[in-house]
Amino acid sequence: MSLETTATELPIQESLEQFLVVLSVSLSVATASRLVSWFQKIPYTLLLVIVGLGLAFVDVRLVNLSPELILEIFLPPLLFEAAWNMRWRDLKKNLVPVCLFAIIGVIISVLGVAFAVGKFTALPLSIALLLGASLSATDPVSVVALFRELGASKRLTVIMEGESLFNDGVAVVAFILLVGIPLGVGEFSIPTTIARFVAFVGIGVGIGGLIGFGISYLTQRFDLPLVEQSLTLVSAYGTYLMAEELGGSGVIGVVTVGLILGNFGSRIGMNPRTRLIVSEFWEFLAFFVNSIVFLLIGDQINFSSLGNNFDLILVAIASVVLTRIIVIFGLGSLSNWLSNDDLNWREQTVLWWGGLRGGVSIALALSVPVVLDGRQEIIDAVFGVVLFTLLFQGLTTQFFLEKLGLVGDRLERQQYSEALARRTALQRVLKYLSQLEESYKETEAGFTSGASEFFRYQQGLVKGQLQSVEEELEQLRRMNSQLLSIELEQVREKLLDIEADTYAEFIRAGNLSENLSPLLQSALDEGIERIMQDRQQADA
């Protein structure tokens, strides 16, 4: 083995060792958060930040966190997973508040933080604008996990996730537009800025749309789960890199391709088994990436540098919290007026307090050019705000949910879903016993009365269990009429699967040249809404 080869392999070995250490610590913390009862009260992502802070305090640095590591390696899978699981029909119902918070809200955040920092600190306005852009992207991972755990309304989750999906892209575009001003290579002009913004977003949406629809129609031609799973991974990273290379927003591109594949491609080109495989793969990948990112966020803290800029951090925290009030309550009221859909003050309060900052903000801060005066101040202020929002706001969000009465019927829904699963299993068992009995009668010449009695006995047992489950379901429905929506949603998904699978079967057989648009979706949605409205009126 040559000396050159050995010198090349050493950095690779060191990188692998660092990666294994980070992964081991992350998975250990995530596991402890599930096994230790006290830790279960804290979202595991926040627990990772706390552990990272402890490592930073004793000056144990696991790995150097670069902006490229977050933006190009970690961010695409996180965005794709969120977009893949975002149902378009849910997003469409809340599109007005999501767009207002994600677009107008980012502008208000950038200007609000920049005004406060420029007025109360020594930072020039151009640097303050960069700081505002870095802090305008929200990171709801911990809060959304808490929403689901406590059974908060689905609407809160959709708005929080939808806002984050789109405002990440808008924040990155705003940062790119503003970074040239302090460097003296660009001037701020409203018409020019709007034109560049439209170009960034347009290219991102265009690339995401082309790749998303292209893969959707491609997967109709075959049924290979591992290949289809790999195509979604390639689409996430490929869309990001292509959009960035062509001068667009990679973040917007990934969100677009994720929404298309999750809502369209998975319906027309994947059978239910493949969709389940792909969804489980992305769930694992998101857990894996989040475990690393949140640990490294805490581990990168430089306490001495934060202390030197403590005044700036306080101003940044206050401005972020106050501008968030303006964004949520101001634009929330505008949304209620435009959409005639009441986003009440309790929901707005949780959305305000749950506006955490995370990995995207840190990546933008770290990507400030080294030659720029004020770079360290931006980094310190962003780390300070991220720590405050993750640890203080993140750990107290449950208190707000409980005090405002927004903790939902999670236990009842879980019990109802389990009963539905039992009913389906028992119905299949009963069907199998009937088929088996018929098979014995047709093939066994000596089918005795004893054998017949055995089948009747088994069927009687199953029918008794099935009746008990039906009674449990009816009792739960009487207690909470909204539980019926779970059952209706399952029926809806099954009918849509049958329709999509039929079209795909015709295409693969060569009997259909192109996919037909879903016929049942809108009718089923209207039917479910009508049934639920009638049920609510009957209960009233």
Side-chain angles (χ1 to χ4, degrees), residues 180-207:
I181 298 176
L183 292 173
V185 296
E187 295 182 359
F188 183 77
S189 168
I190 292 180
T192 303
T193 301
I194 293 176
R196 292 181 65 192
F197 176 82
V198 172
F200 275 121
V201 174
I203 292 173
V205 171
I207 297 297

Side-chain angles (χ1 to χ4, degrees), residues 377-437:
E377 285 80 359
I378 291 177
I379 293 174
D380 290 339
V382 168
F383 268 104
V385 171
V386 167
L387 281 182
F388 173 82
T389 60
L390 286 178
L391 298 181
F392 185 71
Q393 292 182 238
L395 292 175
T396 55
T397 299
Q398 181 173 347
F399 171 81
F400 276 80
L401 286 169
E402 292 174 347
K403 291 300 180 183
L404 294 172
L406 294 176
V407 175
D409 49 3
R410 175 178 58 90
L411 294 178
E412 289 181 4
R413 287 180 174 273
Q414 181 179 347
Q415 186 178 357
Y416 192 79
S417 297
E418 291 174 354
L420 287 176
R422 290 196 193 98
R423 185 181 68 178
T424 301
L426 290 172
Q427 287 173 340
R428 291 178 180 178
V429 169
L430 195 61
K431 181 179 179 181
Y432 174 76
L433 283 173
S434 299
Q435 293 173 344
L436 190 62
E437 183 180 14

